[in-house]
């Protein structure tokens, strides 16, 4: 009887050892995973989804993509996550190849979404406290490097990183282009050296802002259209897309207002 009890005791010790060495650490990691996903959902995914819906696609959905992690309990803990943005409303733009008005409409919708994404979310990095001595760093890591959204049949992207042009892409290929040097929109048909040298590294330049003034000497046609663009964003929350593409002063006013609103837009 004593020998039987000893065997049972040894088995219990072995089970406790296995539990401590393998089951408990995995349980801890699953708890950390859950807390990290909760923070990503509350601090990144839900706010981004809410903000993107203000751009005209009410059914935009943002979901968690992949997660890469380093959870060595004796070293620095970190999580890197990506997202998937999708919308069934993209079916409304199936004819953009033959309808340039529709292509331009999607271009501006994507541009507005990209502005929100770049100004508030693309550089997301935060820490999650696990206890008094341990923290995890959570960082967003884009799969593409630019804003993209998927429909049922195609994926669409917007890239404004170049000093030469902004592009709407379809399935990762440039599709509709805005040439910044000539203020022209057109379907993309390959590099065009008549516009600008696309070999120049992408860069974003800070434009000098026009100072607001009530002096009548500053109320020429240039300032008037600039002011119209600026106030359209600040006061109305929207702007004239056609005028934006045709009038550089109006466009500068819109761009400066969007830059100024920054985190709050």
């Amino acid at each position: 009887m004593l020998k039987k009890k000893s065997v049972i005791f040894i088995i219990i010790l072995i089970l406790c050892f296995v539990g401590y060495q393998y089951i408990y650490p995995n349980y801890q990691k699953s708890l950390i995973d859950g807390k990290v996903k909760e923070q990503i959902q509350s601090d990144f995914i839900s706010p981004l989804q809410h903000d993107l819906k203000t751009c005209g696609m009410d059914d935009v959905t943002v979901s968690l993509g992949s997660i890469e992690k380093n959870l060595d309990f004796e070293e620095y803990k970190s999580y890197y996550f990506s997202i998937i943005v999708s919308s069934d409303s993209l079916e409304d733009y199936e004819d953009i190849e033959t309808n340039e008005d529709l292509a331009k409409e999607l271009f501006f919708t994507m541009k507005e979404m990209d502005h929100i994404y770049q100004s508030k979310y693309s550089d997301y990095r935060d820490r999650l406290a696990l206890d008094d001595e341990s923290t995890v760093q959570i960082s967003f890591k884009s799969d593409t490097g630019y804003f993209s959204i998927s429909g049922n049949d195609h994926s669409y992207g917007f890239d404004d990183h170049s000093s030469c042009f902004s592009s709407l892409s379809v399935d990762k290929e440039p599709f509709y282009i805005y040439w910044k040097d000539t203020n022209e929109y057109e379907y993309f048909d390959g590099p065009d050296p008549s516009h600008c040298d696309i070999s120049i590294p992408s860069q974003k330049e800070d434009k000098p802002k026009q100072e607001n003034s009530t002096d009548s000497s500053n109320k020429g046609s240039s300032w008037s259209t600039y002011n119209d663009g600026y106030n359209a964003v600040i006061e109305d929350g929207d702007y004239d897309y056609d005028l934006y593409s045709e009038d550089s002063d109006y466009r500068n006013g819109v761009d400066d207002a969007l830059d100024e609103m920054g985190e709050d837009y």
Side-chain angles (χ1 to χ4, degrees):
M1 184 69 179
L2 183 59
K3 185 176 181 180
K4 185 177 180 180
K5 289 183 178 180
S6 299
V7 171
I8 294 174
F9 179 73
I10 292 173
I11 293 174
I12 292 174
L13 287 178
I14 293 173
L15 291 175
C16 290
F17 176 80
V18 171
Y20 181 77
Q21 291 292 321
Y22 300 102
I23 299 176
Y24 181 66
N26 288 332
Y27 172 70
Q28 282 187 310
K29 290 179 181 180
S30 68
L31 289 179
I32 295 173
D33 287 352
K35 291 180 179 179
V36 168
K37 289 179 180 178
E38 286 178 4
Q39 178 156 323
I40 293 172
Q41 182 69 38
S42 62
D43 290 1
F44 188 97
I45 290 178
S46 292
L48 175 59
Q49 179 172 289
H50 174 271
D51 289 346
L52 293 180
K53 285 185 176 181
T54 65
C55 300
M57 293 187 185
D58 296 337
D59 67 339
V60 167
T61 299
V62 182
S63 57
L64 182 63
S66 62
I67 288 186
E68 301 174 13
K69 54 188 175 181
N70 171 19
L71 286 181
D72 188 330
F73 286 99
E74 296 179 359
E75 296 179 2
Y76 190 69
K77 304 175 182 68
S78 59
Y79 276 78
Y80 299 91
F81 71 95
S82 65
I83 58 170
I84 299 171
V85 184
S86 59
S87 171
D88 290 337
S89 296
L90 290 168
E91 291 184 357
D92 298 338
Y93 298 96
E94 289 182 349
D95 297 330
I96 60 174
E97 189 172 352
T98 56
N99 187 332
E100 186 168 0
D101 289 338
L102 208 58
K104 185 177 290 188
E105 179 183 314
L106 181 58
F107 179 95
F108 281 105
T109 298
M110 292 290 293
K111 177 179 180 178
E112 191 173 356
M113 288 183 169
D114 176 71
H115 176 78
I116 291 173
Y117 167 79
Q118 297 292 348
S119 63
K120 298 176 65 174
Y121 299 96
S122 62
D123 294 326
Y124 176 86
R125 185 177 291 103
D126 202 358
R127 290 178 180 270
L128 171 64
L130 302 177
D131 50 47
D132 293 338
E133 299 180 355
S134 181
T135 61
V136 168
Q137 177 168 294
I138 307 173
S139 304
F140 172 63
K141 182 179 180 181
S142 171
D143 288 335
T144 60
Y146 55 86
F147 177 75
S148 60
I149 182 171
S150 298
N152 291 328
D153 299 317
H154 302 283
S155 63
Y156 301 83
F158 187 87
D159 190 349
D160 193 28
H161 292 172
S162 172
S163 60
C164 179
F165 61 86
S166 302
S167 66
L168 167 66
S169 63
V170 179
D171 297 330
K172 299 183 179 181
E173 295 294 332
F175 178 80
Y176 194 71
I177 298 292
Y178 166 62
W179 298 105
K180 296 181 179 180
D181 59 333
T182 58
N183 191 29
E184 293 178 306
Y185 293 85
E186 65 180 14
Y187 289 107
F188 183 74
D189 192 28
D192 187 347
S194 68
H195 284 280
C196 51
D197 184 359
I198 64 172
S199 65
I200 297 176
S202 297
Q203 58 183 358
K204 289 196 174 185
E205 300 177 355
D206 294 330
K207 302 187 300 294
K209 293 184 65 175
Q210 297 192 34
E211 297 296 331
N212 197 352
S213 172
T214 56
D215 193 316
S216 59
S217 63
N218 292 328
K219 293 185 178 179
S221 60
S222 175
W223 167 250
S224 178
T225 53
Y226 172 91
N227 202 36
D228 288 342
Y230 182 91
N231 290 335
V233 175
I234 298 296
E235 298 177 1
D236 302 328
D238 200 0
Y239 55 91
D240 188 318
Y241 293 162
D242 291 332
L243 191 57
Y244 180 95
S245 66
E246 297 168 359
D247 190 316
S248 60
D249 293 310
Y250 183 88
R251 183 170 61 256
N252 287 338
V254 170
D255 289 344
D256 284 348
L258 292 174
D259 290 340
E260 184 174 308
M261 294 181 76
E263 296 288 332
D264 296 326
Y265 184 71

